[in-house]
Amino acid sequence: MDRIVQRYRKLVFFTWFLTLDLIMFGAFVRLTDSGLGCPDWPGCYGKVTPLGALPDIHQAASDMPFGPVTLSKAWIEMIHRYVGAFLGMLIIAIVYMAWRYRRQLGRSPALATVSLAAVCVQGAFGAWTVTHKLMPAVVTAHLVLGLSLLALMTWLAARERPHLPVPAIAVRLRPWMAGGLVLLAVQVTLGGWVSTNYAALACMDFPTCHGQWAPEMDFHGGFSVIRGLGELPSGEMISQSALTAIHWVHRNFAFIVFVYMGILAWRLRALAGLSGPGRLMLALLAAQLVTGLTTIFFQWPLLIAVLHNGGAAGLVLASVLALVRLATAGGPPLRRL
């Protein structure tokens, strides 16, 4: 029985780690404009690898030298798909073990089953991202669902990791932590909307935007959901004022999240069983501030942009971990052999 528990734990932790890595790599795919490196799905011009599609890739690159298809972008996109497929198989294995050994594990298999449903939906949005030609609403949903899957995997992993007992006094922080996770979800969605609309450099100064606290903005155009990449619902090219609106909302909502989560994390760090997540949240909030500003002042360097996306994933991870531990406040700690 102990051997089964250990195998299950290792599988869950490895899958959780791979989920985090895949989210980071997904940001790399998006930020290198590799989302259409293979413009069909699930293969690359109908082939299993870009090697089999070399004539089509070279022809596409020749027809559009600065277009979305190059050999390097094709490999980046296909590696992302390969890892995503492997992640799905790992989650299937987790569900199998969770159901078959549910008595030995002492856990309900419901959460693992929900995770499998989530990865299937995520896979569907991955396909729609390509078939809908990087439609901002679809790409943003793909990002949010990816972070939701990370939250589920963090929940699964947190149940298997021992920690100190959380004092009963921490119960009062549960609704505040849940509220913080909601705020974080909104901010992540706004950040995804910025990224998928390429609005990161819509404001090149700080703390003002175009030298003003409230510049000219087109909120209707910027936040119209059903439209193509770089377009308004009318089919016209998206305006600078619409991009400014997208950037401005994300930037200013970030201050609300920073203050709220910063105060909450400061309180968590003083409590047994919660000090780790609290300190991690504080460090990630500071890192997000630095990488966000660096993105503006250094005109969106790739590494910093990927780290900014990774910081958002880290905040989701730390918040879910804190919420899972808060659920044990006043009771026995989560302990596994």
Side-chain angles (χ1 to χ4, degrees), residues 246-268:
I246 295 170
H247 181 109
W248 188 87
V249 171
H250 176 62
R251 176 190 290 191
N252 286 279
F253 196 78
F255 289 109
I256 298 173
V257 176
F258 186 85
V259 172
Y260 184 100
M261 297 297 288
I263 294 173
L264 185 57
W266 187 261
R267 298 185 68 181
L268 291 176

Side-chain angles (χ1 to χ4, degrees), residues 287-309:
Q288 285 298 85
L289 179 62
V290 172
T291 55
L293 294 177
T294 304
T295 296
I296 296 171
F297 292 135
F298 291 91
Q299 300 185 17
W300 209 20
L302 177 61
L303 176 61
I304 299 300
V306 171
L307 289 175
H308 193 62
N309 280 262

Side-chain angles (χ1 to χ4, degrees), residues 189-204:
T189 304
L190 290 172
W193 196 243
V194 169
S195 179
T196 56
N197 282 281
Y198 298 92
L201 299 181
C203 296
M204 298 290 289

